Amino acid sequence: FSSTGLWAAIKPGGQKKLDKLWSDRGNSKKTGNDPSRQFEEVISSLHSRVGVLPKRIVAALQESYLNIAHHAYEAFKKDPLFNDFMVGRWWQYAHLHPETGRLIIIIYDMGSGIPNTIRSIQGGVSDCSSIQYAMREGITRFNVQGRGKGFEDIKRPIDSNASAEYLLVCSGVGEVGYKGGQIVKEHSHGYSMGGTLLEWAFSGVKV
């Protein structure tokens, strides 16, 4: 358990403990709340552990962090009970299996979530339908002029790499899988995970 780096990421210790994670290049778990300042280090850490990254994944990660930084927590900022520590907060997990070359990259935030955002412009749809609507070409998640490119950059690593397995998008109770330019999975859970989770999977990545 401790050898995976998970205990170092979740054990009590406050801000100093979290800051220490950044100096531990071998730890696959990272968290932060200032992507504009931390993104370069995130990518540098990935390169040091993975080597050559799949095509387009850097742009996909950048778009994901941009969304978190500017939009995911907007609904909470006026809540006096919402801790400043959580504003813009994200978590990342990345693991490359040394024998199979299978690479998994996950980003999670505890913001409003895609369904709540989409229902503000298209009401009465399920969480899975909301996620699929957000993933359509030309739809930006937040309809903000000049801000972000929606899911096009987020989907592109799956469309651009022969090694790509899937993109998984979970938000609210919805779970949607994407591969080969189309939706390949849709599932509604009996509970809401809160926020949004993105997972990219690749196989045969050179170690």
Side-chain angles (χ1 to χ4, degrees):
F1 175 67
S2 61
S3 64
T4 67
L6 180 58
W7 175 241
I10 66 175
K11 68 180 179 181
Q15 186 64 47
K16 288 185 178 179
K17 185 267 299 188
L18 295 176
D19 291 341
K20 190 177 180 181
L21 285 177
W22 287 101
S23 61
D24 183 3
R25 288 295 185 91
N27 197 315
S28 58
K29 293 87 179 174
K30 303 293 181 187
T31 183
N33 62 357
D34 186 359
S36 62
R37 181 176 61 87
Q38 298 161 336
F39 183 73
E40 185 175 340
E41 179 60 27
V42 167
I43 300 305
S44 177
S45 178
L46 280 175
H47 276 300
S48 69
R49 295 176 52 250
V50 176
V52 179
L53 297 172
K55 291 182 293 186
R56 307 287 188 172
I57 191 64
V58 172
L61 293 171
Q62 187 172 33
E63 177 67 15
S64 303
Y65 284 121
L66 182 71
N67 284 341
I68 294 170
H70 292 281
H71 309 290
Y73 292 94
E74 286 301 308
F76 300 97
K77 289 182 178 179
K78 295 181 180 179
D79 185 347
L81 299 179
F82 191 70
N83 195 308
D84 288 343
F85 171 82
M86 287 299 298
V87 176
R89 178 63 51 182
W90 54 267
W91 292 261
Q92 177 183 288
Y93 168 77
H95 177 68
L96 176 61
H97 194 286
E99 296 179 2
T100 66
R102 190 165 193 258
L103 174 65
I104 299 292
I105 300 176
I106 296 173
I107 294 178
Y108 174 66
D109 72 75
M110 294 184 67
S112 297
I114 296 172
N116 287 333
T117 303
I118 294 300
R119 287 194 189 103
S120 68
I121 58 175
Q122 188 184 40
V125 294
S126 69
D127 286 7
C128 284
S129 295
S130 296
I131 294 170
Q132 292 187 51
Y133 178 82
M135 295 175 74
R136 285 166 47 190
E137 183 176 1
I139 300 295
T140 59
R141 179 180 172 191
F142 303 99
N143 282 342
V144 177
Q145 183 69 27
R147 177 75 70 187
K149 299 177 182 178
F151 263 85
E152 289 309 296
D153 276 349
I154 292 172
K155 294 186 297 184
R156 200 157 280 132
I158 305 304
D159 298 331
S160 303
N161 292 277
S163 63
E165 291 186 17
Y166 60 81
L167 165 66
L168 189 68
V169 183
C170 301
S171 196
V173 301
E175 176 182 329
V176 173
Y178 173 86
K179 181 181 181 180
Q182 60 185 350
I183 302 299
V184 295
K185 178 181 182 180
E186 176 182 333
H187 179 72
S188 292
H189 295 275
Y191 56 89
S192 175
M193 66 176 299
T196 298
L197 181 145
L198 303 174
E199 176 183 340
W200 296 265
F202 306 88
S203 58
V205 176
K206 293 182 180 180
V207 180

